Amino acid sequence: DAKTTQPNSMESNEEEPVHLPCNHSTISGTDYIHWYRQLPSQGPEYVIHGLTSNVNNRMASLAIAEDRKSSTLILHRATLRDAAVYYCILRPPWDGGSQGNLIFGKGTKLSVKP
Amino acid sequence: EAQVTQNPRYLITVTGKKLTVTCSQNMNHEYMSWYRQDPGLGLRQIYYSMNVEVTDKGDVPEGYKVSRKEKRNFPLILESPSPNQTSLYFCASSFSQGGNYGYTFGSGTRLTVV
């Protein structure tokens, strides 16, 4: 399974943008890049995903490098409610062997200061 | 509201007493999965199901059973719980095909086996 590398922790000030990086140098051409976050005492929550092009939704933006070996999750204005562990995960297609398994690494713990 | 519902949220039981943790989704998802989360080990897949009557082992299946008789339900069964199964459990669901769908997770079940 392709792996991802993320910083252990990051800090941000409230109402400022946050850029959370992720390296995935062994990504295959068919892997989707998914981001989830887990707030304290809650289940993981889907944030955004993409394949090649940058993506935007109501929660965040995803910027994918041209060679797809890295990506960045962008929170445009961090709030206190965004304090969570953010996971960058590669989801392969259903071609056998992957079990649909999301491989959760340790993620990035984001702290937001008022 | 689209959601994955797990019950119970908290459970304390004794070694050897059979228990079932229920999981239900209302999104017509084909794929369902169980994870456990332990400090320092992250989230690990226990069992998964591609569709009704189709289940398979994940990375840590020992001591667990599952069934998928209906599309919406995917119960996790511990026939003879042991203290090493004390953990936080999450159920997740998704559409099956490709990597172009996010997972929806339940709120979790905190199980303590004494």
Side-chain angles (χ1 to χ4, degrees):
Chain A
D1 293 313
K3 287 188 167 55
T4 62
T5 304
Q6 299 176 254
N8 289 334
S9 62
M10 291 184 65
E11 273 192 356
S12 172
N13 294 317
E14 197 174 12
E15 298 191 6
E16 290 185 355
V18 181
H19 290 233
L20 296 162
C22 180
N23 287 319
H24 28 78
S25 57
T26 59
I27 190 171
S28 77
T30 52
D31 288 344
Y32 279 81
I33 302 160
H34 283 237
W35 283 82
Y36 290 77
R37 71 180 184 180
Q38 189 173 20
L39 279 65
S41 302
Q42 294 189 28
E45 176 187 26
Y46 167 81
V47 177
I48 200 168
H49 77 279
L51 184 62
T52 55
S53 304
N54 294 345
V55 185
N56 300 295
N57 67 19
R58 63 175 179 82
M59 290 181 70
S61 295
L62 176 61
I64 301 173
E66 196 168 332
D67 63 5
R68 299 207 331 123
K69 294 186 176 181
S70 65
S71 61
T72 302
L73 179 70
I74 303 164
L75 307 178
H76 295 287
R77 287 179 73 237
T79 70
L80 297 178
R81 291 187 69 253
D82 291 323
V85 178
Y86 286 79
Y87 297 98
C88 168
I89 300 166
L90 301 182
R91 184 173 181 186
W94 297 86
D95 59 357
S98 72
Q99 307 170 184
N101 199 6
L102 294 181
I103 306 294
F104 285 83
K106 294 193 186 314
T108 297
K109 184 174 183 178
L110 176 66
S111 303
V112 180
K113 296 184 289 185
Chain B
E1 180 189 354
Q3 59 185 357
V4 174
T5 304
Q6 291 179 231
N7 280 298
R9 288 294 308 275
Y10 301 91
L11 179 59
I12 301 174
T13 190
V14 297
T15 299
K17 185 178 181 181
K18 181 179 179 179
L19 66 91
T20 299
V21 183
T22 64
C23 174
S24 181
Q25 51 93 4
N26 62 0
M27 296 163 283
N28 202 34
H29 286 165
E30 298 89 7
Y31 181 91
M32 298 185 75
S33 179
W34 276 102
Y35 286 82
R36 61 178 288 175
Q37 185 171 32
D38 303 288
L41 296 176
L43 281 139
R44 295 176 293 168
Q45 190 183 53
I46 303 171
Y47 266 95
Y48 67 99
S49 170
M50 299 285 284
N51 214 324
V52 176
E53 303 291 2
V54 181
T55 64
D56 209 343
K57 298 176 181 177
D59 295 322
V60 288
E62 294 76 23
Y64 304 95
K65 284 176 57 178
V66 293
S67 70
R68 187 90 182 272
K69 293 184 171 57
E70 305 166 284
K71 197 172 188 179
R72 64 183 293 125
N73 295 323
F74 190 45
L76 180 69
I77 303 156
L78 285 72
E79 296 261 352
S80 182
S82 62
N84 64 13
Q85 293 178 297
T86 292
S87 187
L88 180 58
Y89 292 85
F90 293 104
C91 181
S93 72
S94 173
F95 289 115
S96 282
Q97 298 305 313
N100 199 19
Y101 296 100
Y103 279 41
T104 303
F105 283 81
S107 299
T109 296
R110 187 169 292 281
L111 172 65
T112 302
V113 183
V114 298

